[in-house]
Amino acid sequence: MASNYRGYRPPQGMVSWALHRLAGLGVLVFLLLHIVDIFAVGYGPEAFNDLLFIYRHPIFRAGEVILVAGLYYHALNGIRIILVDFWSKGWKYERQMFYAVVALFLLSFIPTAILMLRPLF
Amino acid sequence: MQVHLRIQRFNPEVDSKPYYEDHEVEVEPTDRVLDALNKVKWFHDGTLTYRRSCAHGVCGSDAMRINGRNRLACKVLIRDVGTNITIEPLVGFRVIRDLVVDMEPFFNAYKSVLPFLINDDPAPTTERLQSPEDRERFDDTTKCILCACCTSSCPITWTNDEFVGPAAIVNAHRFIFDSRDQGAAERLAVLNQKSGVWRCRTVFNCTEACPRGIQVTRAIEEVKRTLLTGDVS
């Protein structure tokens, strides 16, 4: 039993919500960077290609894996939230739907991560 | 059995910020957390301050954070929380002293949804009759005791003072879906504002915290869908 706890001990629903926000913010930050690199196209193909070294860097490749994790989770949990909102029985199965989100996330993310990281090794 | 209580204390006249105080008390496993608090207050330190009235889970006075979750101290048994128990005031409200918080914003939100019967028809000489099915429609939300466990468990209310909070929506739901009531449009207008149901992010903390077992998030979702469809049934 957790004791000496400061703050609110998060139930499963709060964990799913916090992860959803974190993933959403992460994707938003990438989107800003993406806007910058697409903006470089305006200065011609050379300018754009010069900028691509960022994306080829191994650290960025690892960062992209985290980005994909955020995208997958945000998309899958987003479906869960839509079902809670629009399906009259959604409230009853929110916990089961969260476990389904976690399962589907692992099933889709692990193969993607392997494919993405393979060129690094 | 011996239990270790860690209680958050704060006296605004003396302390600059809250601190934790430890107490060892002898209780039965079938005692409630409130009994342990009473032991501290009656035999260890009479200055410990908390609200409690009926002590049987009906009045809703003794809502507090027990091991990090909002609970009624009079409904939680010692055997269910173990021997190390941390007790803190509800989050999101101003602490007046120790475990007593300022409930004024909570009741202001409650009043804002017009939590009373609105019916302009001439009052009948007998009761306003209702079918069992019509009564069943809002049965779940009649159970609310206004303890604030739900509102204080909601992460949105921790950072947003405007949000009416789950308890106010539950009590609006209780009248919106009552076939004898005619004020649904007024209440829905309140809940359709920026501070209304749309701030809910379906975290389900409220449902988890409710000591009366009300499906709070379900009630909020029903109000949201009614706002979308306009169907009050």
Side-chain angles (χ1 to χ4, degrees), chain A residues 4-9 85, chain B residues 6 67-69 86 221 225:
Chain A
N4 300 343
Y5 194 84
R6 308 284 182 276
Y8 206 81
R9 192 155 51 87
D85 276 337
Chain B
R6 167 160 276 224
N67 283 352
R69 297 258 174 99
T86 307
E221 289 299 300
R225 281 196 291 270

Side-chain angles (χ1 to χ4, degrees), chain A residues 1-11 13-14 17 21 80-81 84-88 91 94, chain B residues 6 20 65 67-70 81 84 86 88 153 155 158 201 203-205 215 218 221 224-225 228:
Chain A
M1 196 78 216
S3 70
N4 300 343
Y5 194 84
R6 308 284 182 276
Y8 206 81
R9 192 155 51 87
M14 189 172 156
W17 164 79
R21 286 227 152 159
R80 169 178 164 271
I81 294 172
V84 167
D85 276 337
F86 288 96
W87 177 33
S88 58
W91 60 275
E94 67 87 21
Chain B
R6 167 160 276 224
Y20 288 85
R65 246 179 315 155
N67 283 352
R69 297 258 174 99
N70 287 353
V81 284
N84 281 315
T86 307
E88 297 156 303
S153 74
W158 300 340
R201 293 288 182 270
V203 179
F204 284 90
N205 273 15
Q215 293 296 333
R218 178 194 187 183
E221 289 299 300
K224 281 184 190 171
R225 281 196 291 270
L228 282 181

Side-chain angles (χ1 to χ4, degrees), chain A residues 53-115:
Chain A
F53 77 94
I54 305 175
Y55 292 87
R56 296 206 184 92
H57 195 277
I59 291 175
F60 199 89
R61 189 44 85 92
E64 273 184 326
V65 175
I66 297 170
L67 171 70
V68 164
L71 275 175
Y72 280 6
Y73 178 79
H74 201 79
L76 289 166
N77 195 53
I79 295 169
R80 169 178 164 271
I81 294 172
I82 290 168
L83 285 171
V84 167
D85 276 337
F86 288 96
W87 177 33
S88 58
K89 286 194 175 70
W91 60 275
K92 212 178 201 169
Y93 302 106
E94 67 87 21
R95 188 179 289 258
Q96 288 88 333
M97 287 196 287
F98 175 66
Y99 297 140
V101 164
V102 173
L104 285 171
F105 170 80
L106 292 175
L107 274 175
S108 52
F109 174 66
I110 292 172
T112 317
I114 292 171
L115 282 175

Side-chain angles (χ1 to χ4, degrees), chain B residues 12-36:
Chain B
E13 287 171 9
V14 184
D15 309 318
S16 56
K17 59 180 186 183
Y19 63 98
Y20 288 85
E21 199 174 75
D22 296 281
H23 290 278
E24 301 280 340
V25 287
E26 189 65 31
V27 286
E28 297 294 324
T30 48
D31 278 346
R32 292 94 37 91
V33 171
L34 180 64
D35 296 311

